[in-house]
Structures are given as structure tokens and as C-alpha cells.
Amino acid sequence: MYPRPGAGHVPVLRLGDILLVTLQGDLYDSTAQQLQQDLSETIVSAGVTGVVIDISGVEIVDSFLGRVLAEIAAQASLLAARTVVAGMRPAVAITLVELGLTLPGLRTALDTQAAMALLEQPVVLSHAGGTRRERA
Amino acid sequence: MSTASEIEACLPIRSDMDLVWVRQHVRQAAALLGFGLVDQTKLVTAASELARNTLVHGGGGQMDVAPVTAGFGRGLRLTFSDSGPGIADLDRALSDGYTSGDGLGMGLGGARRLVHEFEVESTEGAGTTVRVTSWVNRPPRVREEG
Ligand SMILES: Nc1ncnc2c1ncn2[C@@H]1O[C@H](COP(=O)(O)OP(=O)(O)O)[C@@H](O)[C@H]1O
Ligand SMILES: [Mg+2]
């Protein structure tokens, strides 16, 4: 969607009511910011109810990209769409904790399939059976 | 054995494109020196935070990269320098959540947690230099902060 030589890009795919956003490679700050702006418009114009952001191809998440992800989720939520970040690499998760970014409010799943499954569940939160408990 | 010439570098930090080069160079240098994947990721993340500070708060500058050796092995030293406004209150700048701009305020303190050695030299009105070093296969340093 935003190709520029030498750096990452961000294909966005619509699957029914869900937008699948794939972050690939090393993104320019401006690319991440542009994505954040464009996604809000896409959520409204496409009428989607869920956004899955696949970061399995992302080698590092610093506080800038972390904030962009959190803000995308917050904006989507105001537009009645839920966001799940999928596929964070273990090394990235370990580093984020040490960096001090816990990103509360960001739902995560191990891969895009699990993220899709999460979004297909009813919005009402339940502590029963297979549903994951929300952290405070 | 890696050659120092592939690791040593001086990279400009003038745009968000330069941040990408900084991350890619640090990743390659750390891999050449034998850092494991998690340690590479920590170092690249720290470099990304510090380089963005050089760009955003320092008005641009550079990163110098050098391999280092000591009795206990090999390491990588990264020096970020700018001639921007400097940091008036370093303790405040290092505290989690403090930002003078619109960031998250986690970069400087977070970068310090991600490396073994961390030094800041800053003069108000004259600029800031942040020097960090991490060592291959060395456990994280003992935390002196709370
Ligand atoms: N190179 C620099 N030059 C001037 N001020 C800096 C520099 N690096 C950091 N600072 C100051 O320290 C604060 C905290 O930095 P950081 O933790 O990275 O948070 P953020 O970048 O999100 O504001 C910055 O808001 C800025 O005031
Ligand atoms: Mg910063």
C-alpha cells in the first residue's frame, strides 16, 4: 500500500467484516503515521467491525510504533471496531516489557487465525470457558 | 571472525529514512559480533529510541558505531550525538512517562534498561551525547533503579 525503496510496506486486505493489515519489514515513521490516518477512514468507509494487525514480520517495536498500534486500536474502538495485534515475535515481546511498554488496551493473539477467531466471538466479555480473561 | 570494518560506522541521523539505516546497521553489526536474537532485538530497539531522540529532540546528528573488547569478551558501542538544545534535567528526562514533546516518554529510560552500559553527556544549548554499550553473552546488568 505504501511502497518506498529499502523499507517495509503495509498491505491492507479486506476479509468480510475484517481488515487484515500486514506490517512488513522496517517502517518509516511517516509510513506508520500515514497508515494510522488512513485506517480510520477505511474503517468507516468499508464498514468493518474488526482490524487484525499482523506484526509477525516486524523485527522491532519501539515506543513510536507501540504508540501507533495503541492509537490505531483506540481510534478503531471509537469507530466501533475491535483491534487485535497478531504474531508478535517472542524477542519483540521480551524487549517491549523491558522497555516498559505494556500497551494496555491492546489485544493480542499468537497468529492471524487466532486473531480472526477472537474477533468472531461476541463482544460481550465472559470469564467462562474458552474466552480469554481481559487484563486490567 | 568478523572484521571491524564492517561494524565501524558513522551514520547521519537527519530523517526517518536514516532511522531505518541506523536500525539495519545495528542489527547487522550485532549479528556479526555474535549477539543472540533477543540481545540483537534489545540493542536495535534501544538504538531506534536514541536515534529518534537525536532526530526529534536534538534536531539531527549522528550515530558512531564501534566494536569493543574487554576481559570478558566482545561488545558493541553506539554513540548518538547532536548539537541541539541539550537536556536541562536529566533525571526527569530519564523518568518513565516524561516527554517534552508528544512522545510516550519511554525512550530514554527504556533504552537505558535495554543495554549494559549507558552514559549521557548533555550541555544546555550545546547538545547531547548518549553512549551505550552491550556485551555478547553477558547477563543483564543489575538494576540500580527502583
Ligand atoms: N537528544 C536529546 N536532546 C534534547 N532533549 C532530549 C534528547 N533526548 C531526550 N531528550 C529529552 O528527554 C525527554 C524524554 O525522552 P524519551 O524518554 O525518549 O521520551 P520522548 O522521546 O517520547 O519524549 C524528551 O521528551 C526530551 O525532552
Ligand atoms: Mg524518545
Side-chain angles (χ1 to χ4, degrees):
Chain A
M1 197 177 189
Y2 308 100
R4 271 212 264 168
H9 60 288
V10 187
V12 177
L13 201 74
R14 187 176 170 181
L15 303 167
D17 290 341
I18 292 172
L19 276 188
L20 175 59
V21 181
T22 308
L23 304 194
Q24 283 172 342
D26 200 331
L27 300 184
Y28 294 116
D29 291 1
S30 50
T31 308
Q33 262 165 346
Q34 187 65 46
L35 172 75
Q36 185 183 338
Q37 277 178 28
D38 292 357
L39 270 184
S40 294
E41 286 163 30
T42 311
I43 288 166
V44 173
S45 63
V48 297
T49 58
V51 179
V52 173
I53 306 177
D54 180 2
I55 62 166
S56 60
V58 171
E59 290 185 341
I60 70 139
V61 176
D62 60 14
S63 66
F64 181 85
L65 187 56
R67 184 181 65 159
V68 167
L69 292 175
E71 285 181 357
I72 288 174
Q75 285 172 4
S77 162
L78 288 173
L79 300 170
R82 290 181 291 161
T83 303
V84 180
V85 171
M88 183 183 293
R89 297 183 181 190
V92 170
I94 292 167
T95 301
L96 273 182
V97 170
E98 211 149 312
L99 188 63
L101 277 197
T102 49
L103 300 175
L106 209 59
R107 304 190 85 193
T108 56
L110 285 181
D111 54 32
T112 51
Q113 223 181 336
M116 298 284 190
L118 210 57
L119 289 176
E120 271 152 23
Q121 287 171 4
V123 180
V124 180
L125 295 172
S126 150
H127 286 188
T131 310
R132 253 176 48 166
R133 276 180 67 171
E134 296 282 307
R135 279 206 255 144
Chain B
M1 190 63 221
S2 58
T3 56
S5 64
E6 283 172 273
I7 293 168
E8 254 168 55
C10 172
L11 277 71
I13 302 174
R14 305 243 161 249
S15 69
D16 65 349
M17 208 182 295
D18 292 336
L19 299 184
V20 174
W21 300 134
V22 161
R23 290 190 288 260
Q24 289 180 359
H25 185 83
V26 173
R27 166 78 67 185
Q28 272 165 25
L32 274 173
L33 282 168
F35 280 90
L37 181 59
V38 171
D39 290 338
Q40 284 176 35
T41 305
K42 288 182 182 181
L43 203 48
V44 176
T45 305
S48 187
E49 295 291 351
L50 296 173
R52 186 173 291 99
N53 283 353
T54 299
L55 178 67
V56 173
H57 304 298
Q62 66 186 51
M63 172 183 73
D64 290 278
V65 184
V68 286
T69 48
F72 39 80
R74 285 170 299 159
L76 190 61
R77 174 162 299 155
L78 308 174
T79 307
F80 300 83
S81 47
D82 64 64
S83 16
I87 302 175
D89 184 342
L90 189 58
D91 284 338
R92 186 179 62 172
L94 278 164
S95 64
D96 284 350
Y98 172 77
T99 178
S100 61
D102 66 348
L104 287 181
M106 299 302 295
L108 204 57
R112 179 164 73 162
R113 284 188 287 270
L114 290 172
V115 298
H116 289 127
E117 291 162 29
F118 183 96
E119 288 165 66
V120 184
E121 257 170 64
S122 190
T123 312
E124 256 192 282
T128 301
T129 299
V130 182
R131 181 174 294 118
V132 301
T133 309
S134 281
W135 302 94
V136 177
N137 293 331
R138 208 160 149 236
R141 71 204 180 107
V142 180
R143 298 277 160 68
E144 65 270 19
E145 65 259 315

